[in-house]
């Protein structure tokens, strides 16, 4: 698969099989993230531990319900909704809280990983919701358990795994975003 195919094929997967991702595949995905453009350091926690994934899932779910943001509350209220979609691998991307580029550094690394996962025929999804369950004083215990360094904050996360037959919680076709202005 070339890059154009991976870009066209990648889509957010929101239902996963209970099947582990191999060490070799996971290693390739992590490497793809580390080769992304960057303007500073960032850190990745690869969470395969089911108990910790469940805790992060449940804390995020609760925070979505209590967020006061209608869209998040609606999503979290859907029957069976799990913010981590039962994926076997969760990768948390954090950066120094005082680096204004941390969000960008981690987002470009995440996209590299999503494309690498696509090439490997794995499903994936970019997540911002996990920030609600990990950041903030009230979630410090979970951030520590997840190995996020002091003075770093969670910027985004991805989940990776084998897609289930039915892609739950995803409605309709993918659409292109972004307006374009050419100035010749
Ligand atoms: C900044 C950002 C935050 C996102 N947060 C979430 C999230 O918390 N949960 C989720 O299921 N998808 C999340 N997504 C995925 C988008 O919903 C998805 O990329 C978009 O609907 C386009 O669909 P596609 O990825 O299948 O092309 C996020 C995407 C971005 C760029």
């Amino acid at each position: 698969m070339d890059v154009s195919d991976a870009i066209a094929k990648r889509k957010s997967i929101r239902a996963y099989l209970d099947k582990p991702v191999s060490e070799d595949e996971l290693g390739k995905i992590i490497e793809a993230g580390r080769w992304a453009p960057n303007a500073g350091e960032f850190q990745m926690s690869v969470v395969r531990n089911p108990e910790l994934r469940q805790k992060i899932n449940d804390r995020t779910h609760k925070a979505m319900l209590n967020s006061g943001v209608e869209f998040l509350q609606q999503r979290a209220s859907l029957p069976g909704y799990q913010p981590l979609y039962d994926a076997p691998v969760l990768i948390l991307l954090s950066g120094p809280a005082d680096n204004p580029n941390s969000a960008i550094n981690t987002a470009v690394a995440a996209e590299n990983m999503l494309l690498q996962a696509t090439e490997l025929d794995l499903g994936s999804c970019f997540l911002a919701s996990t920030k609600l369950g990990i950041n903030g004083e009230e979630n410090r215990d979970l951030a520590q358990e997840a190995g996020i360094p002091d003075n770093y904050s969670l910027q985004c996360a991805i989940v990776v795994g084998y897609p289930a037959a039915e892609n739950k919680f995803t409605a309709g076709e993918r659409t292109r975003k972004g307006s374009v202005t050419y100035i010749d």
Side-chain angles (χ1 to χ4, degrees), residues 139-177:
N139 299 314
R140 214 175 148 72
D141 56 330
L142 265 195
Q144 280 179 341
E145 208 177 324
I148 296 173
D150 286 345
N151 303 319
Y152 275 49
S153 55
L154 186 70
Q155 307 292 328
C156 61
I158 66 165
V159 284
V160 180
Y162 289 92
E166 186 201 357
N167 191 8
K168 288 187 283 191
F169 309 112
T170 298
E173 292 294 305
R174 290 176 64 214
T175 54
R176 282 175 294 175
K177 288 273 167 64

Side-chain angles (χ1 to χ4, degrees), residues 6 8 29 33 36 46 60 71 86 88 95 97 104 111 140 150 153-155 161 165 179 181:
I29 291 167
V46 184
T60 302
F71 171 74
D86 295 319
I104 302 172
E111 175 67 358
R140 214 175 148 72
D150 286 345
S153 55
L154 186 70
Q155 307 292 328
S179 63
T181 307

Side-chain angles (χ1 to χ4, degrees), residues 33-157:
R34 297 185 72 193
W35 281 112
N38 70 81
E41 273 303 333
F42 69 98
Q43 182 268 346
M44 290 188 272
S45 289
V46 184
V47 186
R48 287 182 289 188
N49 178 286
E51 288 80 28
L52 183 55
R53 278 191 286 113
Q54 191 65 50
K55 276 196 232 178
I56 295 171
N57 181 82
D58 295 349
R59 194 81 64 96
T60 302
H61 197 190
K62 196 171 157 201
M64 288 172 77
L65 289 169
N66 295 330
S67 64
V69 180
E70 201 182 333
F71 171 74
L72 296 177
Q73 288 176 320
Q74 275 176 1
R75 294 285 287 171
S77 302
L78 293 171
Y81 185 82
Q82 302 292 329
L84 301 187
Y85 307 117
D86 295 319
V89 180
L90 165 70
I91 304 176
L92 301 167
L93 295 100
S94 304
D98 62 359
N99 180 351
N101 286 317
S102 281
I104 302 172
N105 290 335
T106 51
V108 292
E111 175 67 358
N112 261 18
M113 292 196 283
L114 300 180
L115 292 175
Q116 181 64 73
T118 304
E119 192 206 280
L120 296 167
D121 274 334
L122 287 159
S124 60
C125 189
F126 185 101
L127 305 177
S129 57
T130 37
K131 291 198 289 183
L132 297 173
I134 296 258
N135 288 337
E137 208 44 48
E138 70 280 15
N139 299 314
R140 214 175 148 72
D141 56 330
L142 265 195
Q144 280 179 341
E145 208 177 324
I148 296 173
D150 286 345
N151 303 319
Y152 275 49
S153 55
L154 186 70
Q155 307 292 328
C156 61

